[in-house]
Amino acid sequence: MIVSALLTSVGINLGLCILFFSLYSILKKQPSNFDVYAPRLLADGKSQRSSHFNLERLLPTPGWVRRAWQASEEELLSSSGLDAVVFMCVIIFSLRVFTLAGIIGVFILLPVNCSGDQLQDVNFANLTNNSLDVFTISNVKNGSKWLWMHFCAVYIVTVCLLSTLLYACRGCKEYRYISSKRIANFYSSKPQPHQFTILVCSIPVSVGSTVSNSVESFYTECHPSTYLSHVVVHRTNKLQNLINDAKKLYKRLTHLQTEPVQPKFKRNGWFGLFGHKVDLVNQFERKLEDLEENVRLEQSDVSLAGEEVRAAFVSFKSRYAAAIALHMQQSINPIHWITEQVPEPHDVYWPFFSSSFMRRWLSKLVVVVACVLLTILFLIPVLLVQGLANLGQLEVWLPFLKSILTITFVSEVVTGYLPSLILQLFLKAIPPIMFFLSSIQGYVANSDIEKSACNKVVWFTIWNIFFANVLSGSVFYQISIFLEPKDFPARLAVAVPAQASFFVAYVVTSGWTSTASELFRIIPLTCSLIRKPFAKRTDDDFEAPSFSYHANLPRVLFFGLLGTTYFFLAPLILPFLLIYFCVAYIIYRNQFMNVYAPKYETGGKFWPIVHNSMIFSLLLMHAIAVGIFTLRKLPLASSLIFPLPILMLLFNEYCRKRFLPIFVAYSAETLIKKDREDRNDATMAEFFKKVEIAYQDPALLPIKYSSNSSRENSPLISSAEV
C-alpha cells in the first residue's frame, strides 16, 4: 500500500467520525430520541421528555465531551460497577503505555526507518507515492548499528509496561489496583443472597425419597451448625410458557387501555372484517383471567409445575460457612454433590440446571469443535480481504475490473479502505455466535457466559485477524508454522512488517469509525424510528440496555496487541492508535453514564482476561524481535532479547500466585471480617428470610394479578421476572 491509499482511508473514516459526532450532538437533544441516546437516564427517571423548543437543539455542541471527561471514577463505580471500571482501566493503561511508545517510535524509530535505504530512499518531494514499507524497520540496512535503537525501544517499553502493570502509583490501573478495588467493593457492599448460597448439582436420591429430603438430610448431618435452608430446582418449561403468554397479553391490554387512538372493538370473523363486534378490552381481560387460573392450577401441583431436578441452591448462616462447603469435596464420589459458586439471583441462567455431568462435558466438547470449524470458515473472508489489499492479485482474480482499477481514487479505496471495512463487517457476527456457543456450554450464570464469550472472541480475533492476515495462506500452511516452533520467529519477522499498512488501515476503520458508530447508535436509532409510528412506549416500562463486554473488550485488547507488536516495526501505527484510545475514553465514559445499565456484576473478573492478553502480546513482540534481529544480521541483539520472555513468564507466574486467587474466591480473612461486621446488624434476621426465597424458580412464585390491576397500571407478574 502506498501513502496516498492510506490517506484516502484516513480521510474517509475521519469524515465519517465527524459526521457521527455532529449528528449525535444534535440528535441526542431531541426529546423523541432520549430512548436511544439516554435510555439509562430515562429508565432512572433522571431525564424528562420536554416539548420546549430552543435553537440550541439544532446546533452541534461539545458539552457532552466535557461531562464525560469530568466524571470521576467513583461515580463510574457507583453507577456502572467494577466491570465498567476495569474496561476503562484497560483504555487508560493503553494510553499510558502507548504515549511513551509513541514518543519513542515517532521521534526516534520513524526517522531511523526513513533514513534507511534497504528498500528505497524516501522521496519527500512526492511523499504520497512512497510505499508505507519505507517507514518500517524493513527499510533499515541489514547489520546496521541503527537497529540497536529498535533493540533499546523493545527493552524500554517492556520494562515500562511491567512496572505500570505491577506497581501501584496514584491513579494507576493495574493488577494490584483492580484486586484491591475488588476487595474494597466487597467490604462496602450490603449482604447479598449469593454470598451465603452455593449451587449443588448431581444430588444422589435414594429410592422412595425426594431431592429436597436428600439435601435436607445431607446438610443437616454434615453442616449442622451452619446450614440455613435450600431451594430445589424444578423443570418448569410449561409454566414459563404460560407466564410469558400472560405477560404479552397484559402488555397488549395495557397498551390498548392507555392509547386513546387504539380501536377498542373488532369483528370476530374472517380477518376482522366480518362477524359480530367484540369489545377487545373485555376479551383480553377474560383471556388473561383464564391464563392466570391455568398458571395457578399448574403451580398448585408440584408434579405438573415441574419435576425436581437433581440440583439445589443451599444457603448457610455465614459467608465463611458457604465458602467451606463450596471448596471442600462433599462426597467420597467426586461426581456426586458437586458444588459451584452461585451467581446473583437476577444473573441466574436457568436452562442448564437440569443438565447432568455427562451432558455438560459433551456440551463443552461440541463447543470446542464448533469454535475450530468457525475459525477455519472465517479464513474465507480473510483471503478475500488479502486479495483486495493486493491490487495485482485482484486483477488476476477479476481481470474485467482492470480498467476500473486503473483509476487512482478507486484503486486507493479498494486497497486502503475496503479490505478493513469488509473484515470488520464479517467480524461483527462473531461476538453473538460466541455468546450463543458459551450459553450451551453448561454455565449457570449469564456473567460466566459473557466472560467465556469474551475469552473466545479475544483469541478468535488474535488468530483470525492477526495471524491469518500475517501468515495469509492455506489452513495447512498456518498449522505447519506452529508445528515447527523453531522457525516461528523467523517467519513472523518476515510476515509481520509486510502487513503493517493493512493494520494501520484496520485501526482507522475498525477503531475510529466503529467507536464513533457506537456513539451514534445507528441500529437502535433506526429501530426507534421504525417502531414509533406503530407503538408508543412509556417511560415507566422502559429498560436500559446492558453493555456487551464480550463484543467491545476484545477489540480494545486487540488494538493493544497491534500497538505492542508494531511499535518498533512500524511506529507509524502509534499516532492512529493513540487517537483511537483517546476517542474511546470519551465515548465509552459517555455511554456508561447515559446509555448502558449493568444487569449483573462480576466484581472485576474480566481483568485476568486482560492480563493474559497483555502477557501474550509482549511474548509475541519478543518472538518477532528475535526473528527480526536474526534476519537483520544482528545476532547479539537476538541473544539479548531472550531474557525478556523469561522475565515475562516469571512475572506472569508471580501475578498468578499473588493476584489471581483474589478473582477466583475471597479469602477466609475477608469473609470472616465481613461476617463479624454483620453480627451487630439488626436487619440480618430479616435478610436471612429473603435468602430462603431469593433463588426460588420465578415460574413457581405466585402471580400478582387482579381483575383491576390493568386499570391500576400495576405489573402482572412482578415476582416472576427471570
Side-chain angles (χ1 to χ4, degrees):
M1 184 189 296
I2 59 176
V3 174
S4 58
L6 175 62
L7 293 177
T8 301
S9 178
V10 171
I12 293 173
N13 287 282
L14 184 60
L16 288 173
C17 290
I18 294 174
L19 176 64
F20 289 156
F21 289 160
S22 302
L23 289 176
Y24 168 77
S25 182
I26 296 173
L27 293 175
K28 72 181 289 291
K29 301 174 188 175
Q30 314 308 315
S32 59
N33 294 327
F34 283 0
D35 59 338
V36 177
Y37 297 112
R40 175 168 189 170
L41 300 181
L42 203 62
D44 295 342
K46 298 179 181 179
S47 178
Q48 300 295 329
R49 300 180 189 268
S50 172
S51 58
H52 178 68
F53 175 79
N54 58 69
L55 186 61
E56 189 183 355
R57 278 192 195 173
L58 304 178
L59 300 175
T61 53
W64 65 273
V65 177
R66 184 184 66 255
R67 289 189 292 272
W69 178 272
Q70 291 176 345
S72 67
E73 185 181 279
E74 292 304 321
E75 292 175 345
L76 185 64
L77 179 62
S78 61
S79 63
S80 299
L82 191 56
D83 292 335
V85 174
V86 168
F87 184 85
M88 296 308 303
C89 162
V90 180
I91 296 177
I92 297 172
F93 174 84
S94 301
L95 278 171
R96 294 174 185 273
V97 172
F98 293 127
T99 297
L100 173 64
I103 293 172
I104 297 173
V106 173
F107 295 104
I108 298 177
L109 301 184
L110 191 59
V112 170
N113 295 342
C114 292
S115 63
D117 57 0
Q118 178 74 12
L119 301 176
Q120 65 182 66
D121 291 327
V122 179
N123 184 4
F124 291 99
N126 191 11
L127 190 63
T128 57
N129 286 329
N130 284 295
S131 170
L132 286 177
D133 291 338
V134 301
F135 301 101
T136 70
I137 196 174
S138 301
N139 199 41
V140 181
K141 283 186 177 181
N142 292 341
S144 171
K145 294 182 179 180
W146 289 110
L147 289 171
W148 284 102
M149 303 295 291
H150 300 79
F151 169 84
C152 294
V154 171
Y155 256 88
I156 292 172
V157 170
T158 300
V159 173
C160 171
L161 197 148
L162 286 181
S163 60
T164 306
L165 195 63
L166 178 60
Y167 293 106
C169 62
R170 190 173 183 268
C172 182
K173 315 296 193 296
E174 32 59 46
Y175 224 139
R176 185 191 301 272
Y177 178 78
I178 295 297
S179 59
S180 64
K181 272 287 184 184
R182 173 174 162 81
I183 296 175
N185 188 56
F186 174 74
Y187 279 141
S188 62
S189 66
K190 295 180 179 180
Q192 301 292 331
H194 69 277
Q195 298 172 354
F196 296 82
T197 308
I198 65 171
L199 173 64
V200 183
C201 302
S202 300
I203 300 172
V205 180
S206 57
V207 179
S209 182
T210 63
V211 176
S212 181
N213 292 337
S214 297
V215 174
E216 182 81 25
S217 174
F218 181 84
Y219 281 95
T220 302
E221 179 181 352
C222 297
H223 303 268
S225 61
T226 58
Y227 167 71
L228 178 65
S229 63
H230 72 274
V231 175
V232 177
V233 181
H234 292 77
R235 286 192 179 93
T236 55
N237 296 339
K238 185 177 180 181
L239 254 178
Q240 194 60 57
N241 291 335
L242 287 173
I243 291 174
N244 291 336
D245 292 341
K247 290 172 68 177
K248 292 177 183 177
L249 188 59
Y250 176 75
K251 287 184 178 180
R252 292 179 62 187
L253 177 61
T254 303
H255 181 69
L256 189 67
Q257 292 176 330
T258 55
E259 292 294 326
V261 297
Q262 290 291 323
K264 300 294 190 294
F265 296 92
K266 180 182 178 182
R267 296 186 182 274
N268 60 0
W270 186 65
F271 284 110
L273 301 176
F274 305 98
H276 301 289
K277 281 188 176 181
V278 178
D279 188 334
L280 293 178
V281 174
N282 291 333
Q283 184 183 28
F284 285 169
E285 284 183 344
R286 286 195 299 269
K287 288 183 179 180
L288 201 53
E289 290 173 0
D290 292 340
L291 279 172
E292 177 195 34
E293 186 62 26
N294 290 337
V295 170
R296 285 175 176 167
L297 288 174
E298 295 287 344
Q299 289 178 336
S300 64
D301 191 337
V302 177
S303 63
L304 290 177
E307 64 177 275
E308 289 184 326
V309 175
R310 296 195 176 190
F313 295 98
V314 182
S315 300
F316 296 84
K317 297 177 182 178
S318 68
R319 300 175 182 84
Y320 182 64
I324 290 176
L326 173 65
H327 296 292
M328 288 187 65
Q329 183 175 313
Q330 299 293 296
S331 172
I332 298 175
N333 189 338
I335 63 172
H336 287 164
W337 300 101
I338 299 175
T339 57
E340 294 184 34
Q341 197 165 8
V342 74
E344 300 175 1
H346 56 274
D347 188 19
V348 175
Y349 183 71
W350 293 98
F352 262 88
F353 277 94
S354 59
S355 303
S356 63
F357 175 83
M358 183 57 67
R359 184 186 171 188
R360 287 192 179 190
W361 185 83
L362 289 175
S363 298
K364 292 179 180 179
L365 183 62
V366 169
V367 168
V368 170
V369 174
C371 288
V372 172
L373 292 176
L374 181 63
T375 301
I376 295 174
L377 288 174
F378 199 81
L379 291 176
I380 297 174
V382 170
L383 293 176
L384 172 64
V385 164
Q386 285 300 316
L388 290 174
N390 189 334
L391 195 60
Q393 188 175 357
L394 186 62
E395 291 176 351
V396 173
W397 287 357
L398 304 172
F400 59 90
L401 294 178
K402 190 171 183 179
S403 58
I404 300 177
L405 294 175
T406 56
I407 303 174
T408 304
F409 179 76
V410 173
S411 64
E412 289 175 353
V413 171
V414 170
T415 59
Y417 177 70
L418 205 56
S420 53
L421 176 63
I422 292 175
L423 194 60
Q424 178 63 19
L425 292 176
F426 276 103
L427 198 60
K428 285 284 186 183
I430 298 304
I433 294 174
M434 291 303 185
F435 191 89
F436 168 75
L437 292 177
S438 297
S439 69
I440 63 173
Q441 204 168 346
Y443 294 107
V444 296
N446 289 293
S447 55
D448 288 338
I449 293 173
E450 186 155 22
K451 282 188 297 179
S452 176
C454 180
N455 211 21
K456 290 182 177 66
V457 176
V458 167
W459 297 112
F460 181 92
T461 305
I462 291 174
W463 170 257
N464 277 290
I465 306 301
F466 184 80
F467 285 111
N469 279 285
V470 165
L471 308 171
S472 51
S474 67
V475 179
F476 298 105
Y477 172 73
Q478 295 182 31
I479 294 175
S480 68
I481 292 175
F482 289 93
L483 294 178
E484 300 175 1
K486 64 179 182 179
D487 298 331
F488 184 62
R491 296 192 183 188
L492 282 180
V494 174
V496 173
Q499 292 296 326
S501 57
F502 169 79
F503 284 119
V504 171
Y506 182 81
V507 168
V508 174
T509 303
S510 180
W512 294 9
T513 309
S514 292
T515 308
S517 65
E518 160 67 31
L519 179 72
F520 184 51
R521 288 174 59 79
I522 184 169
I523 294 178
L525 177 63
T526 305
C527 294
S528 176
L529 294 175
I530 295 174
R531 184 183 63 247
K532 282 174 183 176
F534 304 101
K536 183 178 180 181
R537 181 162 54 183
T538 62
D539 295 348
D540 295 333
D541 61 354
F542 188 81
E543 183 178 0
S546 60
F547 187 70
S548 299
Y549 289 97
H550 66 286
N552 292 282
L553 185 58
R555 182 190 299 128
V556 177
L557 295 178
F558 181 68
F559 287 140
L561 180 140
L562 290 181
T564 304
T565 52
Y566 272 100
F567 92 93
F568 77 104
L569 299 175
L572 194 62
I573 198 174
L574 293 173
F576 300 102
L577 275 176
L578 284 172
I579 293 173
Y580 161 74
F581 285 119
C582 290
V583 171
Y585 177 79
I586 296 296
I587 289 179
Y588 284 118
R589 284 175 73 90
N590 177 78
Q591 301 301 82
F592 279 126
M593 292 188 298
N594 299 320
V595 178
Y596 300 113
K599 287 187 177 180
Y600 39 77
E601 175 69 38
T602 70
K605 288 187 177 180
F606 286 102
W607 183 256
I609 298 176
V610 174
H611 175 82
N612 291 337
S613 176
M614 291 176 180
I615 295 297
F616 178 81
S617 300
L618 283 171
L619 291 175
L620 182 61
M621 177 188 71
H622 299 152
I624 295 171
V626 170
I628 281 286
F629 293 131
T630 301
L631 290 177
R632 294 293 171 184
K633 312 300 183 184
L634 213 65
L636 180 58
S638 298
S639 302
L640 293 176
I641 287 291
F642 277 105
L644 289 180
I646 297 174
L647 179 65
M648 288 303 308
L649 293 175
L650 292 175
F651 167 77
N652 185 55
E653 184 64 17
Y654 169 77
C655 290
R656 195 176 68 86
K657 297 291 186 181
R658 170 62 179 85
F659 299 111
L660 184 59
I662 298 175
F663 291 85
V664 175
Y666 293 107
S667 65
E669 178 186 5
T670 304
L671 296 175
I672 293 173
K673 181 179 179 180
K674 187 66 175 173
D675 286 334
R676 285 174 179 169
E677 291 178 0
D678 292 339
R679 288 177 185 174
N680 300 324
D681 191 345
T683 63
M684 287 303 294
E686 185 67 24
F687 168 75
F688 282 130
K689 292 180 181 179
K690 296 179 181 179
V691 171
E692 294 178 5
I693 62 170
Y695 289 95
Q696 183 81 315
D697 193 328
L700 298 176
L701 296 177
I703 296 177
K704 298 180 180 179
Y705 171 75
S706 64
S707 59
N708 296 322
S709 64
S710 59
R711 296 182 178 90
E712 298 168 359
N713 291 327
S714 61
L716 168 63
I717 308 171
S718 61
S719 61
E721 294 290 343
V722 177

